[in-house]
Structure formats: structure tokens, C-alpha cells
Amino acid sequence: MSVASRIVVIGVGNEFRHDDGVGWAVIACLRERARHRPLPPGTALETCDGDPGRLLALWESAALAVVVDAAQSDPPRPGRVHRLALDGTPPGPTATSSHGLGLGEAVELSRVLGRLPGRLVVYAVEGASHALGRGLSAPVAACVETVADAVEADVAGQVTWHATGGGRP
């Protein structure tokens, strides 16, 4: 797959911090589905602990990068999913992640370095607990399949757009 059409899906988080593992759970779901219903050739499914340098390396030169991460909000609504499509306008420093350095900062660093993907879609899933331990809370576990469906739709839309030579999807 050429650089111009490369797609990467990145699950961010830590599977040993309860709902912070939602990104990894979505990647596991997509990998299982791909055994029976493959994603387009060259689509990479990756996991990351949220390190900005690793994120930059994973999404650099991608036509589409889809990131799934846990989010914190006040008041929390565990299982609520937020979708952000970033086409050249990174989120401000108030973007929240469940990690010390937020995804917003990683996106801004990537922008400054000229290493943003052509299109970046972020799914932020509100969690109930980010304490040490394994397993997702019931509301977060219930949204994993739905987020995986949405990610597959984004990937399919990018492939269709690229095949037809159209503008941004």
C-alpha cells in the first residue's frame, strides 16, 4: 500500500488500568473480526501506551489514522463515545485523555513537526475507572463493538474515497 493510501488504527491505553484499556480492546475486536472479514490490504492495527513519540511514528505518512482512547470527563458518563475528525485543526490543550500527556499535545507536536496524518479521527470513550486492575467496566465493554463498527466504517470510507480519487471523505 502506498504512503498516500496507508491506514493505521491505533488503540491507546493500558489494559492494566481498567477502562483505560478500551483502545486495546477495540484493536483486539478488530483483529478478531479481520480473521473472518479482512480489513483493506495494508491497514495496520496497532496498540500504544500513549507515548507521543510512538504515536507520531505510528501515524506519520498515513492517509488516515484512527485513534481510540479512554477519556475522562466531569461528570463522567461511562461508555459515552466522542468522535473527533481532525483535518488540519488540532484540538487545543484542553483535550483530555486518561494519560499524563494528552492526545491533544501529541497532535500539536505532530503538527509542529509536520508529521500529522492526512486525516486523523479520534474516538474518545468515557470511562468509569482508570485504577489499577484488569477488565473494562460494563458500560465501556458494551461500547467496544459499536466503536469497532464505526472504525471499520471510517476505514471503508477512506478506501472508497481513495479508489474514486475524490477529495477528503
Side-chain angles (χ1 to χ4, degrees):
M1 179 170 268
S2 71
V3 169
S5 60
R6 190 171 80 82
I7 297 170
V8 63
V9 181
I10 307 167
V12 175
N14 182 338
E15 65 183 338
F16 298 106
R17 287 185 52 219
H18 289 294
D19 290 341
D20 193 41
V22 68
W24 289 37
V26 170
I27 295 298
C29 177
L30 290 168
R31 285 182 176 145
E32 179 61 29
R33 289 179 178 189
R35 292 176 29 173
H36 308 287
R37 189 175 65 228
L39 291 166
T43 299
L45 298 174
E46 303 285 349
T47 56
C48 179
D49 62 3
D51 175 73
R54 178 136 163 79
L55 282 169
L56 271 65
L58 288 171
W59 70 40
E60 183 177 23
S61 302
L64 171 66
V66 180
V67 176
V68 181
D69 194 6
Q72 295 177 341
S73 64
D74 189 24
R77 284 190 35 206
R80 181 169 57 173
V81 179
H82 305 268
R83 181 185 183 277
L84 306 158
L86 308 173
D87 295 317
T89 307
T94 58
T96 58
S97 168
S98 61
H99 314 288
L101 180 63
L103 181 60
E105 287 86 355
V107 171
E108 178 59 16
L109 178 60
S110 187
R111 185 193 65 76
V112 168
L113 296 174
R115 294 173 63 183
L116 274 174
R119 186 162 182 257
L120 176 62
V121 176
V122 177
Y123 287 92
V125 181
E126 292 184 32
S129 172
H130 300 286
L132 291 176
R134 290 195 64 142
L136 302 175
S137 65
V140 172
C143 77
V144 168
E145 293 279 339
T146 302
V147 174
D149 290 343
V151 169
E152 285 181 327
D154 281 319
V155 168
Q158 181 72 20
V159 171
T160 301
W161 166 83
H162 185 72
T164 62
R168 288 207 185 276

